[in-house]
Amino acid sequence: MPLRVGVVGGGQLARMMIAPAVELGVEISVLAEDEGMAASLAATAVGDYRDADTVLAFAREVDVVTFDHEHVPQDVLGALVDAGVAVRPGPGALRFAQDKLLMRARLEELGMPQPDWAAVTDSAELQRFLDAHGGRAVVKTPRGGYDGKGVRVVEAGTEADDWFAALAEDARGGALLVEELVDFSRELAQQVARRPSGQIRAYPVVETVQRDGVCAEVIAPAPHASERLLEVAERIGVGIAEGLDVTGMLAVELFQTTDERLLVNELAMRPHNSGHWSQDGAVTSQFEQHLRAVLDLPLGDPSPRAAWAVMVNILGGPAEGPLDARFPSALHEYPSAKVHTYGKSPRPGRKVGHVNTVGDDLDDIAYEARAAASHFLD
């Protein structure tokens, strides 16, 4: 009988696990939120990931459960564990990806470098933090934010009053996370994979380019990275994976400051946008590696296949017509570019696909990736 993996969440990350699962001979099933989602090719069930009975029924048909996102509630995760389901990453690790305040506190315990931060419950506390940090700071909602959502740069304590009001209306109460506004020269990402038995493999640290809070491009490996930077980034990634008991893929988003420090920005415990380059640029893609890791199989080689790889996201898509109508021109003009689409309808700002290029000349492949991606935009 083949190994069986169940993925909760029907988005593009689950979709991109399908091909390596087929290649490995792994049976993959997906619990999608709705019909027709990106991973519909493997969707064996459609239902609410917040409902324990729905998720338990799905989990009974697989050997291990993993995730397309980190939003499955802790009580549902706990019900899976209580029922004897192998959940990877487990609820103990996922809570740090689900709650940024818990993440910051745990990273502090582990001695990880990060921005100055505080939990604030009202505008007066926020103002005191601002006064101590040059009058500007970043405020984040602890739960649910992604791609720039739930993040706000403020200059006065009252600029987050609507979020404080929302917290007051929530029966659970709570606080907002405020962080110093980091003076950084660029953003990086360090990915590592970890098996339940403890084996860890690290990918090259990459440079990420953000636009409007959304990842637009990734360059692998990060240009002009010193040996010291590479060592520190890998040590941070491995330390967090071990300290938080992560199983599967972990992405650590980093700030490289203007004084050459690395600070932890965000975490993702699943395949991540910063690792899409690995589909065509690494010996083992992040999607195959995630499957290997959660099944506790020996991890693959994360080494690059070429000197450089560039990933460019297709954001929004064409204003009119389907995405696939643009394939002929893009593939004709740039035959060495690898185009990956997600089965999503175009919408402003939406991630509908990405383009990967690999080669020995960074300028050439960056141009090619950007030009190929532009064929899908207006």
Side-chain angles (χ1 to χ4, degrees), residues 23-321:
E23 292 166 354
L24 286 169
V26 170
E27 185 178 296
I28 187 168
S29 301
V30 171
L31 173 61
E33 296 88 333
D34 296 295
E35 299 281 356
M37 293 191 67
S40 59
L41 287 170
T44 57
V46 175
D48 189 349
Y49 62 81
R50 298 165 297 185
D51 179 72
D53 290 339
T54 298
V55 181
L56 279 166
F58 172 74
R60 290 190 190 101
E61 304 301 320
V62 300
D63 299 312
V64 61
V65 168
T66 190
F67 307 95
D68 171 85
H69 56 72
E70 295 105 338
H71 306 313
V72 179
Q74 282 287 314
D75 62 332
V76 175
L77 297 172
L80 290 172
V81 172
D82 291 345
V85 176
V87 180
R88 295 172 183 160
L94 279 170
R95 66 193 183 104
F96 298 112
Q98 293 174 337
D99 190 310
K100 294 181 178 65
L101 284 170
L102 292 178
M103 176 196 77
R104 286 294 181 211
R106 180 59 179 147
L107 293 183
E108 191 169 284
E109 292 173 352
L110 293 173
M112 293 296 164
Q114 52 183 346
D116 286 343
W117 66 279
V120 291
T121 59
D122 57 37
S123 58
E125 291 181 350
L126 176 54
Q127 188 61 53
R128 284 194 289 273
F129 187 93
L130 286 165
D131 293 342
H133 292 83
R136 300 184 76 207
V138 178
V139 177
K140 299 179 180 180
T141 55
R143 303 178 66 88
Y146 66 95
D147 284 347
K149 299 177 177 66
V151 179
R152 186 179 294 176
V153 176
V154 301
E155 298 181 358
T158 55
E159 291 180 28
D161 279 352
D162 54 333
W163 284 355
F164 286 124
L167 287 174
E169 294 170 2
D170 187 336
R172 295 179 300 175
L176 297 177
L177 171 64
V178 59
E179 299 173 353
E180 68 169 308
L181 194 61
V182 175
D183 187 13
F184 62 89
S185 56
R186 60 176 174 172
E187 294 185 70
L188 305 171
Q190 175 67 63
Q191 282 192 299
V192 298
R194 180 172 180 267
R195 294 168 61 186
S197 57
Q199 184 192 15
I200 290 182
R201 300 299 294 267
Y203 283 80
V205 67
V206 302
E207 180 175 341
T208 66
V209 179
Q210 316 291 320
R211 297 197 184 102
D212 299 322
V214 178
C215 180
E217 297 184 8
V218 173
I219 302 172
H224 313 298
S226 67
E227 287 298 321
R228 173 65 175 165
L229 183 148
L230 299 177
E231 292 171 4
V232 172
E234 182 171 335
R235 189 163 65 243
I236 289 171
V238 170
I240 292 174
E242 293 177 335
L244 273 55
D245 193 25
V246 177
T247 52
M249 289 298 303
L250 168 71
V252 182
E253 297 181 61
L254 299 160
F255 294 125
Q256 182 177 358
T257 66
T258 53
D259 58 357
E260 297 301 311
R261 293 176 297 139
L262 292 182
L263 302 177
V264 178
N265 180 22
E266 303 274 3
L267 304 179
M269 297 180 190
R270 49 173 169 75
H272 187 256
N273 204 162
S274 63
H276 289 355
W277 69 273
S278 66
Q279 286 175 296
D280 304 294
V283 175
T284 308
S285 79
Q286 65 165 341
F287 300 101
E288 178 182 341
Q289 197 79 292
H290 187 72
L291 294 171
R292 288 181 181 229
V294 300
L295 287 165
D296 206 15
L297 296 172
L299 298 179
D301 183 354
S303 301
R305 290 184 176 275
W308 300 103
V310 173
M311 188 282 306
V312 176
N313 271 326
I314 302 170
L315 298 173
E320 294 184 4

Side-chain angles (χ1 to χ4, degrees), residues 216-221 276-277 280-281 308-313 338 354-359 361-370:
E217 297 184 8
V218 173
I219 302 172
H276 289 355
W277 69 273
D280 304 294
W308 300 103
V310 173
M311 188 282 306
V312 176
N313 271 326
K338 295 292 188 177
H354 65 270
V355 174
N356 287 334
T357 54
V358 299
D361 188 295
L362 178 56
D363 289 339
D364 284 350
I365 66 167
Y367 171 80
E368 186 175 9
R370 292 165 187 155

